[in-house]
Amino acid sequence: MASTAGGWRGFARSTIGRFVGLAFLCQFLVTGGVLLFVQQASQRTIVAADRDSVTDLRDELLAILRDRGAAALRQDIERRLPTVRSERIVLLLTDAQGHIVAGNLGAWPATIPDNTSWRMIELYRIGGEQPEPIGVTTTRLTGGGRLLTGIVTSHSLQLTRIYEEALTIAFLMSLLLTLIIAILLGRVLTRQISAIADTANAVAIGAFHRRVATDGSGDAFDRLGHSINAMLERIDALVSQLRMMTDGLAHDLKSPVTRLLSVVEQASTQTRDDQALDALEKVHREAQTLQAMLSTALLISRTEAGFGGDRMRDTVIAELLEDLAEVYGPLIEDSGFTLHVSAPPGLAFPLHRELVSQAIANLIENALKYAEGGDRIALDAAMDGDALTIGVRDNGPGIAADQHEAAMKRFGRLDPSRSKPGSGLGLSLVEAVARLHHGALLLGDAAPGLSATLRLRRTA
C-alpha cells in the first residue's frame, strides 16, 4: 500500500503527471463552464417562457376589460377557473374596496404590491393543501380594482431540476472520461519516453548497439528516435575508433615497457657490480610503476567509455567483500591494521564484479598508505533507497573537506613531495567505476579518519 502511494506521489510530481493534471484541469474548467452556461441558459429560457405566458394572459384579460367591460372580464375569469386544479393558471380580480370578484386565490397576497412586474412567490390556491411556487404580475385597474395573473412554476422547477441532474451526470461522466483519456495518454507518453531513456541508459553503460525503436509514422517521437539513432551511430563509430586506438596504444606502449623490464631483469643476473645492481633495481621499480600507471590509465579510459557496462551481473555483496578481505587480510595485518567487514547476508546487486573489486582494492590500498597512526579499516555495504553503498573507512588522519576534490583529480597527489608511492590514478579509477554504475564516489569524515563511499545505482 505504501509503495502504491509512493508510486502515485512520484507520478504526480513527474512531468507526465503534471501534464495529465493540467489536461484534466483544462477539461474540468471547459466542460464545467459549458455545462454551467447551458444550465443557466436553460433556466432563463424556462423562466422567460413562464413570464411570457403570464404577460400574454394579462394582456388578453386587460383587452377584454377594455373592450367588453368588467362583467365580461369576471365571466372570462370564471370560465377559465373550473379546470384550475389541472391548469397552472392563477387569477384574482378584486374591486376597488379589495373584495374578491373572481379568481382562485382566497385573498390578495399581502407582500405583493398592486402594480408589479414578474415576481416569484409561494401561495395557496383555493382547494390547495400546500403552497405552490407561483410567478405573478399585478395590475391596478381603472376605477381602483386589481388584477393578479400568474402561473404555477412547479413543473418548470421540476424540469429545471431534471436539466440540472442531467447536466451534473454529463459533467461527472465527462470528467471521468477525461481522466481516463489523460491517464492513457500519459501512459503512452511515458512508454515512449521510457523507451528512449532505456536506450540512453544502455548506451551509457556500453551497449552501443542499442537503438531507439521507430514506427515510421513521422510524428515527433518517430523523428526524435531517428535523430537519436543517427547520433548513436556516430557515437558508436567514434567509440570503435577510440577502442582501436587505445588497444593499439596499449600494445605499442606496454610492449616496450615489458621488454625494458625483461632486459633489466636479465642484466641484473649478469652483473656482480653492486652499484650497477642498485641502478638496475631502481630502473626496474620505475619501469614497473610506469607499467602500472599505463595499465590503470587505459583501464580508466575504457571504463569511462562504457566498456564492460554489458557485463553487469547480480553479485552477492557479502561474498564479494569476504573475497577481498581474504585476499588483502594478510597485507592489512602485516601493516598493523585490523579489518572489519559488514554486509547484509544475501544482498545481491547487479554490478561489474571485476571492476568494483578493483575499485574497492584501490580504496583499501589508499587506506594502508595514508591512514598513518590508524589501526582499523572497516569495509561495509548497505542499501540506501535504490542505491548500493560500499564504504571503506579508516581511523587515520583523513583528508580535509576542502581537499576532497583535489584528491579525486586524475594524477592528483595530496603529498607535495610525492615521497609516497602512487600514481594519483587510484581514486580516478574508483570514480570511473562508480560512473559506469550510474553512481559516484563520495569522500567524507569518518571522525576520525577518511570515509570513502561507492554509491552505485541499478541500471534500467
Side-chain angles (χ1 to χ4, degrees):
M1 181 67 74
S3 60
T4 302
W8 276 108
R9 282 196 296 272
F11 177 75
R13 289 195 298 269
S14 67
T15 301
I16 296 300
R18 290 195 291 270
F19 168 77
V20 171
L22 181 61
F24 180 77
L25 178 61
C26 290
Q27 185 65 23
F28 174 84
L29 294 176
V30 172
T31 304
V34 170
L35 294 181
L36 180 62
F37 172 78
V38 172
Q39 187 268 338
Q40 294 292 324
S42 61
Q43 187 174 13
R44 285 195 300 270
T45 300
I46 293 173
V47 172
D50 288 341
R51 185 170 58 245
D52 292 344
S53 297
V54 171
T55 300
D56 293 342
L57 176 60
R58 181 199 61 189
D59 294 343
E60 184 179 346
L61 294 177
L62 291 178
I64 293 174
L65 175 64
R66 183 176 59 253
D67 299 338
R68 296 160 51 192
L73 175 60
R74 178 178 58 79
Q75 292 175 355
D76 187 81
I77 292 175
E78 290 176 346
R79 181 180 59 81
R80 296 172 184 262
L81 292 181
T83 59
V84 68
R85 292 308 305 161
S86 59
E87 294 289 345
R88 299 168 58 199
I89 296 174
V90 177
L91 295 171
L92 182 62
L93 176 64
T94 68
D95 58 18
Q97 288 73 37
H99 299 141
I100 295 176
V101 177
N104 56 355
L105 293 179
W108 187 268
T111 59
I112 299 297
D114 295 344
N115 201 5
T116 182
S117 58
W118 179 261
R119 179 171 296 192
M120 294 295 298
I121 189 172
E122 286 195 346
L123 296 173
Y124 282 91
R125 285 191 289 176
I126 293 175
E129 297 178 352
Q130 58 185 6
E132 298 172 294
I134 300 174
V136 301
T137 62
T138 59
T139 306
R140 174 169 286 281
L141 305 176
T142 303
R146 293 175 295 180
L147 174 65
L148 181 148
T149 55
I151 188 170
V152 177
T153 61
S154 57
H155 295 285
S156 300
L157 294 177
Q158 184 178 5
L159 183 60
T160 300
R161 284 194 293 271
I162 292 174
Y163 279 149
E164 291 176 348
E165 291 174 359
L167 292 175
T168 300
I169 293 174
F171 179 64
L172 294 177
M173 292 296 293
S174 67
L175 288 185
L176 179 62
L177 184 61
T178 300
L179 182 60
I180 293 174
I181 292 175
I183 291 176
L184 291 178
L185 181 59
R187 287 188 175 182
V188 171
L189 294 177
T190 299
R191 188 162 56 248
Q192 295 270 19
I193 296 173
S194 295
I196 296 174
D198 291 344
T199 301
N201 289 333
V203 172
I205 62 173
F208 294 100
H209 64 282
R210 288 282 298 274
R211 296 292 182 269
V212 177
T214 56
D215 56 12
S217 63
D219 62 8
F221 281 105
D222 189 60
R223 294 198 303 274
L224 178 62
H226 283 290
S227 298
I228 292 176
N229 287 342
M231 178 183 66
L232 293 178
E233 291 287 350
R234 179 59 177 162
I235 292 175
D236 192 13
L238 292 175
V239 170
S240 297
Q241 294 175 8
L242 174 64
R243 182 182 299 174
M244 294 174 60
M245 185 184 69
T246 53
D247 288 347
L249 187 65
H251 176 75
D252 293 343
L253 292 182
K254 291 181 70 175
S255 295
V257 174
T258 302
R259 288 196 295 272
L260 174 62
L261 284 169
S262 178
V263 170
V264 170
E265 290 169 356
Q266 185 176 5
S268 298
T269 61
Q270 296 174 352
T271 182
R272 296 292 182 267
D273 188 320
D274 292 339
Q275 290 184 345
L277 285 173
D278 185 59
L280 289 172
E281 180 64 24
K282 291 180 181 178
V283 172
H284 189 268
R285 285 200 301 271
E286 293 300 328
Q288 284 183 317
T289 301
L290 178 59
Q291 187 182 44
M293 289 178 62
L294 182 59
S295 298
T296 303
L298 290 175
L299 183 57
I300 291 173
S301 297
R302 293 174 66 85
T303 303
E304 289 183 336
F307 298 156
D310 55 346
R311 295 176 59 187
M312 304 288 185
R313 300 290 184 273
D314 277 344
T315 303
V316 179
I317 305 305
E319 294 179 359
L320 172 67
L321 300 188
E322 290 294 340
D323 289 346
L324 285 168
E326 184 177 349
V327 171
Y328 281 88
L331 177 61
I332 292 173
E333 186 175 345
D334 292 344
S335 301
F337 288 86
T338 59
L339 178 63
H340 300 268
V341 179
S342 173
L347 172 61
F349 197 86
L351 48 79
H352 191 302
R353 184 185 177 100
E354 290 76 17
L355 287 178
V356 172
S357 296
Q358 181 63 56
I360 298 172
N362 283 10
L363 295 176
I364 293 175
E365 291 173 358
N366 277 356
L368 293 175
K369 289 178 186 175
Y370 302 110
E372 294 179 347
D375 59 2
R376 184 176 187 276
I377 297 175
L379 186 59
D380 57 66
M383 289 300 298
D384 182 11
D386 62 344
L388 169 68
T389 61
I390 300 176
V392 179
R393 315 178 205 290
D394 62 61
N395 59 348
I399 299 176
D402 58 355
Q403 292 184 308
H404 288 173
E405 184 177 352
M408 290 192 289
K409 284 184 177 178
R410 192 166 300 184
F411 297 107
R413 301 281 296 274
L414 298 181
D415 176 18
S417 65
R418 296 183 179 260
S419 58
K420 297 181 179 179
S423 61
L425 294 175
L427 291 184
S428 297
L429 176 60
V430 177
E431 195 175 26
V433 172
R435 281 200 295 268
L436 182 67
H437 292 77
H438 300 273
L441 168 63
L442 306 174
L443 299 183
D445 185 3
L450 178 66
S451 170
T453 302
L454 268 173
R455 187 176 178 83
L456 311 179
R457 294 185 180 279
R458 293 179 187 275
T459 57

